[in-house]
Amino acid sequence: MNKRQLLFAFFLGTALVWTSCGNKDAKKQGPPQAQAEKVVPVTFGVASHEIVTGTISYPATVKPLNEADLFAEVSGYITKIYVSDGAAVTKGQALYEIDGTRYNAAVQQAKASLQVAQTELDRQKRDLGRYQTLADKDAIAKQTFDNAQSSVAAAQAQVESARAALVTANTNLSRSTIRAPFSGTVGISQVRLGALVNPGTTLLNTLSSTSPIAVEFQVNEKDISKFSQLQSSRSSSDLSLMLPNGSTYEGKGTITTIDRAVDPATGTIKVRATFPNNANELRAGMNITMNVSTTSSKEEIVVPYKAVFEQLGVFNIYTINDSSKAEIHQVKLGIKAGDKVVIKEGVKDGEKIIVDGTMNVQNGVKVVDAAVAAQQAAKGAPQGK
């Protein structure tokens, strides 16, 4: 191949490369129709205003009205456990027994000491009686009579001391048996048979009352008057509980206590309601939802509840601007009434909002009514379809 043929082959290859690159760019760009702005079909709605009757939900926690940690009050080894873990008990029922041998012996010793002291007191009283007779006849030295009186007083004090020692011994003996201070349910035992326990430091178990039981939740300081009215009326129809599994608790409760002060850091106050709990369905520490029925005092802005979506703990809604583009707005929710919810902040009355299709929408994307889009697609489709 001569030089001229080599040059011709070089220029031909370069032209082919340029042509290939141009075709790739053309493929990337695609036809003009493919570069059209993306349009997402959605279902529209409008924010309206009305008087709302619905429910406000509050995170709540189940708390027992009575709860006590059971500690040993005397030292010794656990010799008996009368109840099983998680058992229901009644007030005064025996729960644990600590070896009471030495405490029983201390009682017997205290009784004997009291008897000795009482005998000595009786003797001193008899002597004083004889000295009194002699003193009346002026037949005894006054000092001897005074000493007899002092001996009786000392013997009386010995009797009182011995009696106090007997009370202490009986108390220690009785405390060797731990009894339920009120009716309720015990937890899992912290000690087993043969364990050595010490007074005030060894936790045996925890006892909680079960019925009635308390449900505590925080409300805004603006709603104090409303909950005060509920407390005064003792109404049970306005309160309901939603359990962690999503079911509704059947028992009806009443507002019983409103805390003494507002938390200045949060602007909220603690409210306590009590509910019957005979089946022990509500357990201490359970996180549930308190639903409170309420009616708005004025017309509120409402939207379909399904128009609201949550991102990172913040509630949002998409509105439609004049250019048919979606705009995201953070909103503050109020009362939920059926399939609607009150919007306290973030949306104005009459604003057009996206109800369905938010999963496919992004801020600034153009949207179209899904029904209109379906009609247009049907018209443009072949008759056979």
Side-chain angles (χ1 to χ4, degrees), residues 35 73 136 231:
Q35 299 302 311
E73 294 185 82
D136 291 341
Q231 182 181 11

Side-chain angles (χ1 to χ4, degrees), residues 9-72:
F10 171 79
F11 286 118
L12 178 60
T14 303
L16 290 174
V17 172
W18 285 349
T19 302
S20 175
C21 291
N23 289 337
K24 289 181 179 179
D25 291 340
K27 289 179 180 179
K28 288 182 179 180
Q29 292 177 0
Q33 292 83 355
Q35 299 302 311
E37 184 178 11
K38 180 182 178 182
V39 179
V40 179
V42 296
T43 301
F44 297 147
V46 177
S48 59
H49 61 278
E50 58 186 66
I51 296 292
V52 179
T53 298
T55 59
I56 301 179
S57 298
Y58 299 91
T61 304
V62 178
K63 296 285 185 72
L65 290 175
N66 288 311
E67 187 173 71
D69 289 332
L70 305 178
F71 287 90

Side-chain angles (χ1 to χ4, degrees), residues 209-225:
S209 60
T210 54
S211 186
I213 201 163
V215 176
E216 295 182 353
F217 55 102
Q218 300 284 341
V219 304
N220 192 285
E221 57 189 347
K222 297 177 182 178
D223 298 327
I224 292 178
S225 59

Side-chain angles (χ1 to χ4, degrees), residues 70-268:
L70 305 178
F71 287 90
E73 294 185 82
V74 295
S75 61
Y77 292 95
I78 297 293
T79 55
K80 288 183 181 180
I81 298 178
Y82 292 101
V83 294
S84 58
D85 294 345
V89 299
T90 57
K91 182 178 180 179
Q93 181 177 342
L95 306 179
Y96 294 88
E97 184 178 282
I98 299 171
D99 184 10
T101 304
R102 57 175 168 168
Y103 301 111
N104 187 58
V107 169
Q108 300 306 317
Q109 183 179 4
K111 286 181 178 179
S113 298
L114 176 59
Q115 184 63 42
V116 169
Q118 186 64 54
T119 301
E120 177 63 17
L121 174 61
D122 293 341
R123 186 183 71 79
Q124 294 291 348
K125 285 182 176 180
R126 288 193 298 271
D127 288 347
L128 179 62
R130 287 191 291 268
Y131 291 144
Q132 180 69 56
T133 301
L134 295 174
D136 291 341
K137 298 178 180 179
D138 200 20
I140 190 175
K142 188 174 185 310
Q143 183 177 1
T144 302
F145 180 72
D146 292 341
N147 289 340
Q149 287 182 315
S150 297
S151 296
V152 169
Q156 182 66 50
Q158 288 294 327
V159 169
E160 296 301 324
S161 177
R163 187 174 287 118
L166 178 59
V167 171
T168 299
N170 278 321
T171 299
N172 288 335
L173 179 61
S174 66
R175 286 177 175 174
S176 65
T177 300
I178 292 85
R179 300 180 181 276
F182 51 83
S183 298
T185 302
V186 294
I188 297 175
S189 180
Q190 302 299 304
V191 296
R192 298 301 179 206
L193 284 175
L196 177 62
V197 298
N198 296 298
T201 59
T202 306
L203 176 64
L204 306 179
N205 210 321
T206 299
L207 172 65
S208 300
S209 60
T210 54
S211 186
I213 201 163
V215 176
E216 295 182 353
F217 55 102
Q218 300 284 341
V219 304
N220 192 285
E221 57 189 347
K222 297 177 182 178
D223 298 327
I224 292 178
S225 59
K226 174 189 173 179
F227 283 93
S228 295
Q229 292 173 1
L230 289 174
Q231 182 181 11
S232 301
S233 65
R234 306 289 294 177
S235 173
S236 61
S237 61
D238 296 312
L239 306 179
S240 63
L241 298 177
M242 186 171 70
L243 301 177
N245 62 4
S247 63
T248 300
Y249 183 67
E250 293 184 359
K252 295 296 182 180
T254 57
I255 301 295
T256 54
T257 307
I258 298 176
D259 205 358
R260 64 173 186 83
V262 173
D263 185 344
T266 61
T268 60

